[in-house]
Amino acid sequence: MRKIVLYIAMSLDGYVADKNGNVDWLSGDFSDPENVGSYTEFYESVDTIIMGWRTYYQIATELAPTDWPYKGKQSFVITHREVENQSEISFYRRNLPELIKNLKEKEGKNIWICGGAEIAQQLIKADLIDEFCFSIIPTILGSGVKLLPTLQSEEKLKLIKTASYNGIVDLVYERR
């Protein structure tokens, strides 16, 4: 069965964006800049990408305005806006947990929860993330967009893999 995977970079203090919503700090320490780490292998393991409107908008207008970086994958943008679907991008305005459950039942590769924090928090609270892949960036922001939500009960995880490259540490967990 397909897995729902939260694969996301965050600062050492748990933020996915700075206080202005910027992600220009998402880089290693330049000790091994040619090493791209786990991204390429991870990217090949997914065929569906879920993101919120702010993540989509930042990608489409700032990070990759001329060329959608996820060609060949089906992307779902969770939004309340009325936006026309594109060939590989669906703008989804209904119940997010319902979408996740429906996608998980279909044949295919894993499903990537790409961002942002609100989407991740909803799915963590709904207990719908199967695997957590955190790339810890060697930066302390002090404030910004916090990734992890406040939970009513603890979420126990099992460490299944670690890696380090260019000052970044990848931690991969699954639910116990």
Side-chain angles (χ1 to χ4, degrees), residues 7 32-41 135 164-166 168 170:
Y7 180 93
D32 187 11
E34 301 303 314
N35 190 339
V36 296
S38 60
Y39 180 77
T40 303
E41 181 181 346
S135 293
S164 65
Y165 53 95
N166 196 26
I168 298 169
D170 282 350

Side-chain angles (χ1 to χ4, degrees), residues 120-137:
Q121 289 173 10
Q122 284 181 53
L123 295 176
I124 291 168
K125 286 180 179 180
D127 210 20
L128 291 173
I129 305 290
D130 298 310
E131 192 170 284
F132 299 81
C133 302
F134 302 119
S135 293
I136 310 301
I137 306 300

Side-chain angles (χ1 to χ4, degrees), residues 23-117:
V23 294
D24 54 356
W25 53 271
L26 287 175
S27 63
D29 63 8
F30 306 105
S31 60
D32 187 11
E34 301 303 314
N35 190 339
V36 296
S38 60
Y39 180 77
T40 303
E41 181 181 346
F42 171 77
Y43 188 74
E44 291 303 316
S45 75
V46 302
D47 63 6
T48 307
I49 301 169
I50 308 287
M51 68 186 73
W53 174 262
R54 281 184 236 142
T55 299
Y56 164 77
Y57 188 78
Q58 189 170 47
I59 292 167
T61 63
E62 295 174 36
L63 304 176
T66 59
D67 195 29
W68 183 243
Y70 307 124
K71 285 185 179 158
K73 314 271 184 195
Q74 181 61 51
S75 295
F76 289 88
V77 177
I78 310 307
T79 184
H80 297 292
R81 292 168 175 81
E82 294 286 335
V83 182
E84 190 171 320
N85 290 338
Q86 300 171 20
S87 64
E88 294 179 317
I89 305 171
S90 297
F91 295 92
Y92 190 81
R93 291 174 292 282
R94 295 184 299 278
N95 182 283
L96 175 59
E98 182 181 296
L99 171 65
I100 296 298
K101 290 173 186 173
N102 288 338
L103 289 172
K104 192 168 179 172
E105 291 175 2
K106 294 181 179 179
E107 290 291 319
K109 294 181 177 183
N110 290 337
I111 300 162
W112 174 17
I113 307 305
C114 174

Side-chain angles (χ1 to χ4, degrees), residues 127-165:
D127 210 20
L128 291 173
I129 305 290
D130 298 310
E131 192 170 284
F132 299 81
C133 302
F134 302 119
S135 293
I136 310 301
I137 306 300
T139 299
I140 298 172
L141 291 176
S143 66
V145 179
K146 196 79 162 159
L147 173 62
L148 298 173
T150 301
L151 299 173
Q152 298 301 316
S153 61
E154 62 186 49
E155 176 80 28
K156 294 193 181 281
L157 305 175
K158 177 182 177 184
L159 181 66
I160 57 172
K161 185 177 178 182
T162 63
S164 65
Y165 53 95

